[in-house]
Amino acid sequence: MSVNVNTRLIRLGLGCIQPASADDVSKFLALSLEVEEEPISPEAIQIILDEWSSQKDVVCVHLRQRLYSLTRQGDGRLTPKERHLRDKTRLFLLKELRAATLRRPEAEEPEKADVSSAVFIDSATQEERPKGAAANPRVAPGAGRAFWPLLAKQLFVGSSPSASGLRFRFCSFPTISDCCKAAGDDSIPADGIGINEISLGLGISPGLLTSFLARPERYYRVFEIPKANGKSRQIQAPRTMIKVLQYFFLDYLLNWLEAHPTATAYSRGSSIRKNAQVHTEKKYVANIDVSNFFPSLTIGIVAKSLVAAGLSSNTAVLVARLSSYKGGLPQGAPTSAALSNIVMREFDASVSESCNSLGVSYTRYADDMTFSGMELDGVKQAICFAKERLTEMRLTLNDQKTRIFGPGTRQVVTGVVVNDWPQPSRVDRRRLRAELHQAKISPANSVAKYQQLLGRAAYMLSYAREERPVGAISRAYVEDALAGVKMLRHFTHNE
């Protein structure tokens, strides 16, 4: 049976929100074209999808809900202009949904993930799930924001602790095996997944991934920010399209690879306070810092570490290249932190073992390493061993940041004073108290930085205990100081 409809529009709509049903594509087109009635009925779209399925242009990836995704053959029937529009629309939409800035319908009931839901996890990537349930995504404040029904539903499936999947669902196909079949292969390639499988899973063009590899400078924004010492730090921030791909790597590959317990940054349950707690009440505390840390972690080093962590060589090299900028890890990419922990895992293990034999405590917060103990010789020996291991990795210490704090001095670990118990420095405590005082006497001048003050106060109070308040700052003091600001902010938002 032939139906006189715009099949190009249907293919484009399906590509933007796949996996999708005929009803979802119809609603998506109505929202996109800003028309009240559906421009193409679900019944007409279903007839087209059935026809494409017989031609192997689409495949049904969820039998119960009749969700369809484009195969490589079907994706190839998009024109270059349509493919560019689809890639841009899909990636920007995924970015918004991952940040939970699009509104879900209030009446929607959370769906439980099942074996046929679209999820990109199988034995070909990793064998075990991350420990602990992911937090539910935030619902954006404010009304009137649009949402794409199925894609939002797809991404939020598995966000509840009782669901079987990960927090977000980026993928167009249930497993890597299905991606390979949609690409025309009978099985997963022996050297691991590559551009074809990743592009199909994410629902974008392989040509876009190739462009990321060939011309990365087009997809990064480079700028400088001031450092505390008066110098500047260069930031290489990925633009939206490649950043979504890097979030995909982070959520579906890198977060499954555990960091060493001594790594107290960028991993689940880690914090500056946890890093500092290890070094309290020690006679000697020493800090060392790696020079040019992230850019020094080259594609080769990263790929080798990923292979050691269990990824296949082809996948490891591809992830390393698509997460790097000018040969090293960019400061500003969401993948850089997790990759640095993977690269440093073997280093952390060997240094930790050496420190244990010397009676020295060791932690690493990114490129900032801390050693503490009761004997100065033991601390110095631990630093020498770490320096040797760093040299083997072709990393160098920043000698200007190598410090050893002895008894009677203010011992600082990643900005936290650890002499008797962990607490922020006196300078930070006084600065916050002064800003809270100004907010109380002049609320109007502090409305713009209300959230910042609230966050800094919460961080400061996290160090407080009943027997030892932090810098005379209490929860009651913070609430009283920000009461006027909170009221003004409430009135401003309601106008």
Side-chain angles (χ1 to χ4, degrees):
M1 178 181 177
S2 62
V3 182
N4 186 22
V5 296
N6 190 335
T7 56
R8 289 177 58 188
L9 194 60
I10 295 173
R11 196 184 305 273
L12 178 60
L14 175 62
C16 287
I17 62 170
Q18 62 184 348
S21 67
D23 187 57
D24 297 318
V25 174
S26 180
K27 290 178 181 178
F28 174 78
L29 294 177
L31 288 169
S32 301
L33 299 174
E34 297 183 342
V35 294
E36 293 184 4
E37 296 183 0
E38 295 166 342
I40 307 176
S41 70
E43 294 77 16
I45 293 175
Q46 186 61 57
I47 293 173
I48 297 297
L49 292 177
D50 290 338
E51 182 180 342
W52 285 348
S53 182
S54 66
Q55 297 170 355
K56 298 185 178 180
D57 279 0
V58 301
V59 60
C60 184
V61 299
H62 196 302
L63 297 176
R64 179 169 56 83
Q65 295 187 13
R66 303 189 75 180
L67 308 182
Y68 295 84
S69 290
L70 293 172
T71 63
R72 175 62 67 231
Q73 176 180 295
D75 190 80
R77 298 190 191 280
L78 291 168
T79 67
K81 188 174 182 180
E82 290 169 346
R83 200 173 293 118
H84 175 75
L85 177 60
R86 187 278 308 274
D87 290 346
K88 190 171 183 179
T89 301
R90 184 170 176 84
L91 288 173
F92 272 77
L93 183 57
L94 285 170
K95 174 214 169 193
E96 296 292 319
L97 287 167
R98 189 185 187 278
T101 54
L102 295 188
R103 180 174 57 86
R104 298 179 67 197
E106 284 88 1
E108 183 180 0
E109 198 172 305
E111 180 185 345
K112 302 292 178 64
D114 60 28
V115 292
S116 58
S117 297
V119 59
F120 200 72
I121 298 297
D122 64 9
S123 59
T125 49
Q126 299 297 323
E127 295 180 353
E128 57 180 82
R129 286 168 50 80
K131 296 176 181 177
N136 289 330
R138 295 179 298 106
V139 176
R145 298 294 300 274
F147 67 93
W148 308 122
L150 183 68
L151 189 54
K153 187 177 182 182
Q154 176 211 163
L155 291 178
F156 284 95
V157 166
S159 61
S160 68
S162 59
S164 62
L166 284 178
R167 175 175 174 180
F168 295 102
R169 300 298 177 93
F170 282 72
C171 300
S172 302
F173 292 87
T175 66
I176 294 175
S177 300
D178 291 319
C179 291
C180 295
K181 291 176 183 177
D185 298 326
D186 294 330
S187 60
I188 298 171
D191 58 352
I193 60 173
I195 287 177
N196 256 334
E197 294 76 28
I198 290 175
S199 63
L200 275 168
L202 196 50
I204 60 176
S205 307
L208 181 59
L209 297 186
T210 303
S211 179
F212 290 160
L213 293 170
R215 293 177 289 181
E217 65 281 353
R218 293 182 57 185
Y219 302 99
Y220 281 84
R221 185 168 57 92
V222 180
F223 57 93
E224 293 186 346
I225 59 173
K227 295 169 65 175
N229 60 8
K231 297 181 180 180
S232 61
R233 183 192 306 278
Q234 188 181 83
I235 302 296
Q236 304 90 25
R239 297 185 186 275
T240 296
M241 295 178 78
I242 196 170
K243 182 185 283 188
V244 173
L245 172 68
Q246 291 171 349
Y247 275 129
F248 169 74
F249 287 153
L250 186 66
D251 291 344
Y252 284 89
L253 289 176
L254 304 182
N255 280 345
W256 293 65
L257 307 177
E258 292 185 357
H260 192 270
T262 56
T264 56
Y266 316 131
S267 58
R268 189 187 295 272
S270 63
S271 66
I272 290 178
R273 185 175 63 181
K274 181 179 177 181
N275 181 66
Q277 181 70 49
V278 176
H279 306 286
T280 57
E281 300 183 78
K282 299 293 177 65
K283 200 170 182 179
Y284 297 94
V285 176
N287 296 322
I288 64 176
D289 188 273
V290 179
S291 294
N292 212 24
F293 180 58
F294 285 109
S296 298
L297 303 182
T298 63
I299 293 175
I301 292 174
V302 172
K304 183 179 178 182
S305 300
L306 288 173
V307 170
L311 297 188
S312 63
S313 57
N314 189 40
T315 307
V317 171
L318 191 59
V319 170
R321 291 183 65 192
L322 288 169
S323 302
S324 299
Y325 179 76
K326 292 190 175 180
L329 294 182
Q331 296 199 46
T335 46
S336 293
L339 285 171
S340 70
N341 277 345
I342 295 167
V343 169
M344 299 296 288
R345 181 177 174 82
E346 187 178 338
F347 169 88
D348 291 335
S350 62
V351 171
S352 178
E353 184 179 352
S354 174
C355 287
N356 288 338
S357 66
L358 294 169
V360 173
S361 299
Y362 162 74
T363 60
R364 180 181 59 81
Y365 194 91
D367 59 342
D368 195 335
M369 303 168 200
T370 304
F371 305 84
S372 63
M374 305 308 290
E375 301 293 334
L376 181 59
D377 285 344
V379 172
K380 287 184 176 180
Q381 288 181 50
I383 293 174
C384 288
F385 180 82
K387 188 173 182 178
E388 291 173 3
R389 291 289 290 112
L390 289 171
T391 302
E392 293 173 9
M393 297 177 65
R394 297 183 181 179
L395 300 176
T396 57
L397 287 182
N398 184 345
D399 293 330
Q400 294 181 348
K401 290 189 176 181
T402 299
R403 302 183 182 90
I404 299 179
F405 304 100
T409 64
R410 189 176 65 118
Q411 299 172 339
V412 181
V413 177
T414 52
V416 179
V417 180
V418 297
N419 291 68
D420 299 313
W421 60 79
Q423 61 177 325
S425 68
R426 183 178 299 174
V427 172
D428 291 339
R429 300 196 303 265
R430 288 179 173 176
R431 182 184 295 119
L432 176 61
R433 185 173 175 83
E435 290 185 48
L436 289 173
H437 178 70
Q438 287 299 318
K440 183 175 182 179
I441 63 176
S442 183
N445 295 333
S446 301
V447 171
K449 58 179 182 179
Y450 172 77
Q451 291 291 353
Q452 182 190 30
L453 286 171
L454 205 61
R456 287 171 56 200
Y459 169 75
M460 192 73 67
L461 290 171
S462 69
Y463 289 88
R465 298 292 182 271
E466 289 185 11
E467 68 278 8
R468 46 179 175 84
V470 176
I473 298 175
S474 64
R475 192 172 303 278
Y477 179 83
V478 172
E479 291 175 354
D480 181 58
L482 295 179
V485 181
K486 183 178 180 180
M487 186 177 297
L488 280 176
R489 189 169 176 271
H490 176 73
F491 288 144
T492 302
H493 285 188
N494 286 342
E495 287 180 354

